[in-house]
Amino acid sequence: MAASTDPRVLVINSGSSSLKFQLLAPADGTVEATGIVERVGQGQGNAAIEAGERESSFEGPVPDHKEAMKIVERLFGEVGLSLSDDRIRAVGHRVVQGGARYSNPVLIDEQVRWDIHDLGKLAPLHNYAAVDGIDGAQALLPDVPHVAVFDTAFFTALPEAAANYALNREIAKQYRVRRYGAHGTSHQFVSQAVSSHLASQGRDVSDLRQVVMHLGNGASASAVRGGEAVETSMGLTPLEGLVMGTRTGDIDPTIYIHLHRQAGFGPEEIDDILNKRSGMMGMCGMNDFRDITAAVEAGDEAATLAMDVYVHRLRKYLGSYSFVLGSLDVIAFTAGIGENVPMVREKLLTGLERFGIELDLEANAARSKEMRVISTPESEVTVMIVPTDEELSIARQASEVARQLAG
Ligand code: ADP
């Protein structure tokens, strides 16, 4: 538990229609306040904060992310905290798209702000919201460094063979079409946690080969060798790759053209279908795995098929990433589904003994919030569950940039 006088970092995560915030101590991850503003830009919004025993909430219009920050300030006041608190040494902003350029967290100056806005062409749902969140936070906390932590940063060093689409070279260059990935903060945090854990047990981790599965509402897989990402499943946007809560993941791009020609859908409608009305929700009408697993156990046909499609996609990625890596030492699961749904892990990994993967079914079924191994001692591949903590990672990176500035 951090001392009450220890430095704090405010972490801001501006999503397309929400703004999540957390005030925490980067030294040990103690969370002092956490909350969310929801339905930003959608008429009637709502917000809530929790700070230890104290709570507060808000209902009313939240026209944009700048206004959302004012609501955050108000909620802080209502639980006896203040954004003018001089323990707050930095603000860390999660930014989804940093392009090919931003491979590290950076202090947000005019140029960086402009670049984040410009990269909104690649991530319109997220980067414009992030700029508004930054503007709103800078107005309220003008005297502390604001740091952008990019979701794409961990993947800027992907090998060219993995980062390029086989698209016409000139067109790809002109429109900056390449595979940027996403969830990088989580993939980096989890793969580093795995390495440190195994190193502490005396394993040589200099060339450790991992597949990290971040399975939340958004989902992505990465292949990491010796701490460097060599593949990842999200591409130009977070739509590519695994089956997700409401996104298709990989599809034949011609489906887009087919829907346009046959159904007359325009780009906005197709974007909506692929990103918000597909995936698990589109296949079985549910995207919470608590409901989906219960439906599968009850024999529901649509849920069973959706689960089969979900797991089949994971298997294809696990297999292909093992080959990209040349061999496999670790499979690490993280995020809401990765950490909490034994059925997904069991269906994915059963029958892969021939490839050195032996799941310990009892350990897999056990509930815990701790990092843990769920493979048998004989398994050549170590299977782990590693709770992700993107806020802590962002707080630590922002704090480090602030420390370098001060020093
Ligand atoms: P995101 O940050 O992308 O919104 P999360 O990592 O929070 O996603 O994961 C959210 C999803 O995780 C939920 O939609 C639900 O499917 C699943 N989930 C979370 N907790 C549990 C649980 N205890 N049991 C089953 N599924 C869970």
Side-chain angles (χ1 to χ4, degrees), residues 11 13 92-97 102-105 148-156 180-193 212 214 220 222 224 229 232 234 334 386-398:
V11 173
N13 180 351
H93 294 268
R94 175 188 180 224
V95 179
V96 164
Q97 181 52 269
Y102 289 104
S103 53
N104 286 299
V149 178
F150 297 96
D151 234 25
T152 44
F154 188 47
F155 302 119
T156 49
Y180 296 102
H183 291 152
T185 303
S186 178
H187 285 278
Q188 189 170 22
F189 180 90
V190 169
S191 55
Q192 282 175 355
V212 178
H214 175 111
S220 58
S222 69
V224 180
T232 195
M234 286 178 166
T334 195
V386 183
T388 193
D389 195 339
E390 286 162 285
E391 277 73 19
L392 178 58
S393 176
I394 291 169
R396 287 193 171 147
Q397 294 183 60

Side-chain angles (χ1 to χ4, degrees), residues 20 183 214-219 287-293 334-338 340-341 367 369 388 390:
K20 294 184 198 154
H183 291 152
H214 175 111
L215 310 178
N217 216 3
N287 68 341
D288 190 313
F289 272 68
R290 282 162 282 221
D291 304 330
I292 295 167
T293 47
T334 195
I337 298 153
N340 297 303
V341 187
R367 298 244 161 234
K369 293 267 163 233
T388 193
E390 286 162 285

Side-chain angles (χ1 to χ4, degrees), residues 48-67:
I49 188 170
E50 264 182 48
E53 301 286 289
R54 304 187 66 173
E55 289 179 7
S56 189
S57 60
F58 163 90
E59 275 191 39
V62 191
D64 58 32
H65 289 76
K66 264 187 230 169
E67 287 299 317

Side-chain angles (χ1 to χ4, degrees), residues 121-320:
K121 290 179 190 129
L122 298 172
L125 288 181
H126 291 99
N127 271 36
Y128 300 135
V131 171
D132 280 349
I134 289 165
D135 290 349
Q138 283 184 327
L140 297 168
L141 296 104
D143 300 323
V144 295
H146 288 248
V147 176
V149 178
F150 297 96
D151 234 25
T152 44
F154 188 47
F155 302 119
T156 49
L158 278 188
E160 287 299 307
N164 280 272
Y165 290 108
L167 183 68
N168 177 283
R169 195 182 157 96
E170 265 69 52
I171 292 174
K173 194 164 172 217
Q174 186 174 356
Y175 297 101
R176 295 184 283 185
V177 178
R178 66 186 269 131
R179 307 191 59 254
Y180 296 102
H183 291 152
T185 303
S186 178
H187 285 278
Q188 189 170 22
F189 180 90
V190 169
S191 55
Q192 282 175 355
V194 167
S195 285
S196 310
H197 175 77
L198 296 180
S200 76
Q201 299 187 332
R203 263 186 66 182
D204 175 9
V205 295
S206 55
D207 192 36
L208 193 75
R209 299 171 204 212
Q210 311 184 39
V211 170
V212 178
M213 302 258 179
H214 175 111
L215 310 178
N217 216 3
S220 58
S222 69
V224 180
R225 182 170 181 177
E228 304 275 331
V230 297
E231 245 301 359
T232 195
S233 60
M234 286 178 166
L236 175 76
T237 75
L239 183 61
E240 190 177 338
L242 305 180
V243 177
M244 309 184 209
T246 62
R247 297 187 192 124
T248 55
D250 294 333
I251 55 161
D252 179 344
T254 312
I255 293 172
Y256 186 116
I257 300 165
H258 175 74
L259 289 177
H260 174 61
R261 287 188 183 141
Q262 298 299 313
F265 294 145
E268 299 308 326
E269 199 152 17
I270 295 174
D271 196 31
D272 190 61
I273 294 169
L274 302 182
N275 278 293
K276 298 197 181 138
R277 290 162 55 196
S278 296
M280 300 306 278
M281 178 61 91
M283 285 189 288
C284 70
M286 296 173 260
N287 68 341
D288 190 313
F289 272 68
R290 282 162 282 221
D291 304 330
I292 295 167
T293 47
V296 169
E297 277 160 4
D300 182 284
E301 222 172 280
T304 304
L305 176 60
M307 177 66 88
D308 289 348
V309 175
Y310 187 88
V311 171
H312 179 75
R313 186 79 52 86
L314 289 176
R315 263 208 186 193
K316 287 209 291 189
Y317 272 89
L318 177 60
S320 64

